[in-house]
Amino acid sequence: MQPLPKIMVAPNGARRTKSDHPALPMTIEETVATAVACHAAGAGGLHAHVRDETGAHVLDAGLYRELLSQMRDSAPQLAVQITTEAVGKYSPEDQRKLVEDVVPEAVSIAVREMVPDEDSKSAARFYAWCREAGIAVQHILYSPEDMARFFELVEANVVPGEDHQLLCVLGRYAENQESVPEDLDPFLPLLHERGQDLALDWAVCAFGHRETDCLVHAISKGGKARIGFENGLWNRNGELAADNASRVRDLVEALG
């Protein structure tokens, strides 16, 4: 399993558009150009969303294959992770089919979306297939409760193996989705206690004006970072960032 890069850029996400920021990439070509600029600024990976012709988030295998092909041509040194984010319209079956059709090197999957109830048989077969196929799955955890459930799924062998990638999402339910560094603290005891016998490669993403501060805090605790316009549009000084590469440079500078 390829390790998570120290800094992964998430340049667009599922919801924001150019009305939120004119430099937010919407097309595959714009996403690739953004990824190249972010690599020059210090990012080691791309967390990729694709959009349909209307600009809406879509789980489309053909569009992902096209994006991955262009990334191999333009930025072969960058790790590329696709998303299965449901945005309220895709089922676990839809998410699994996307991954099975694309067979990417890396994918992010929310635990609460892939295993929404106690019926875990289909998820267990899927996670086992991903491991056999060599796909790096990053498990998205929106709360400490999600993290506790992830460890339960590992113990039950629904999620097989001892090496795992995690993403702790900070401030998803905070007022106005404004994260603060302390939002990480409830995750840390679980990481250390429940994960002590596992090889955990974990990262953080955060929302709002203090995104950079949250990521600096996470890295100081041994984690990694996902940064970009998916979650935050502002640099550490409070100013609106010019583009995603500016967000990456802001974090690199903050890390010294």
Side-chain angles (χ1 to χ4, degrees):
M1 183 187 300
Q2 66 177 8
L4 290 170
K6 183 176 181 179
I7 299 174
M8 179 177 284
V9 65
N12 50 12
R15 295 171 177 82
R16 281 187 167 135
T17 68
K18 290 187 183 295
S19 65
D20 296 291
H21 197 297
L24 187 140
M26 298 285 286
T27 66
I28 288 174
E29 290 74 18
E30 289 174 342
T31 300
V32 171
T34 296
V36 171
C38 289
H39 178 255
L46 168 69
H47 171 71
H49 290 248
V50 292
R51 306 292 186 94
D52 65 15
E53 64 278 1
T54 72
H57 166 80
V58 63
L59 299 186
D60 184 290
L63 290 175
Y64 268 121
R65 284 192 289 263
E66 183 180 346
L67 172 65
L68 292 171
S69 175
Q70 290 196 30
M71 285 295 297
R72 283 191 293 270
D73 290 341
S74 299
Q77 63 277 63
L78 269 178
V80 183
Q81 176 194 80
I82 73 169
T83 185
T84 62
E85 187 171 354
V87 296
K89 69 177 184 178
Y90 290 107
S91 68
E93 291 78 14
D94 296 328
Q95 294 171 307
R96 291 192 291 267
K97 188 175 187 307
L98 172 74
V99 181
E100 290 162 357
D101 287 347
V102 177
V103 194
E105 292 184 1
V107 62
S108 66
I109 303 172
V111 168
R112 64 173 59 178
E113 292 180 356
M114 183 56 64
V115 199
D117 51 41
E118 296 307 312
D119 183 5
S120 60
K121 293 180 181 178
S122 295
R125 287 192 293 268
F126 171 72
Y127 286 128
W129 174 82
C130 286
R131 185 162 287 270
E132 291 171 5
I135 299 171
V137 176
Q138 187 178 32
H139 303 276
I140 310 303
L141 311 171
Y142 290 103
S143 66
E145 291 75 18
D146 278 1
M147 179 173 283
R149 184 147 188 259
F150 165 77
F151 286 123
E152 291 169 2
L153 293 172
V154 171
E155 290 165 5
N157 204 38
V158 174
V159 180
E162 296 182 349
D163 55 322
H164 302 285
Q165 296 180 354
L166 309 178
L167 181 78
C168 302
V169 181
L170 306 189
R172 174 69 178 269
Y173 303 110
E175 185 176 358
N176 298 320
Q177 284 198 336
E178 288 286 343
S179 306
V180 295
E182 294 76 21
D183 290 335
L184 176 61
D185 295 346
F187 289 91
L188 295 176
L190 284 167
L191 271 173
H192 298 149
E193 295 165 13
R194 300 287 294 276
Q196 60 182 338
D197 297 324
L198 301 172
L200 299 180
D201 190 7
W202 63 277
V204 160
C205 72
F207 293 88
H209 290 73
R210 297 196 65 191
E211 181 185 26
T212 299
D213 290 336
C214 292
L215 301 180
V216 169
H217 179 60
I219 290 171
S220 76
K221 297 296 184 181
K224 296 176 179 178
R226 181 194 289 182
I227 191 170
F229 281 2
E230 176 170 4
N231 293 335
L233 304 173
W234 301 272
N235 284 334
R236 199 180 196 187
N237 61 7
E239 294 180 357
L240 186 70
D243 51 27
N244 277 282
S246 175
R247 292 296 302 117
V248 174
R249 284 192 295 272
D250 191 60
L251 177 57
V252 170
E253 291 169 2
L255 291 170

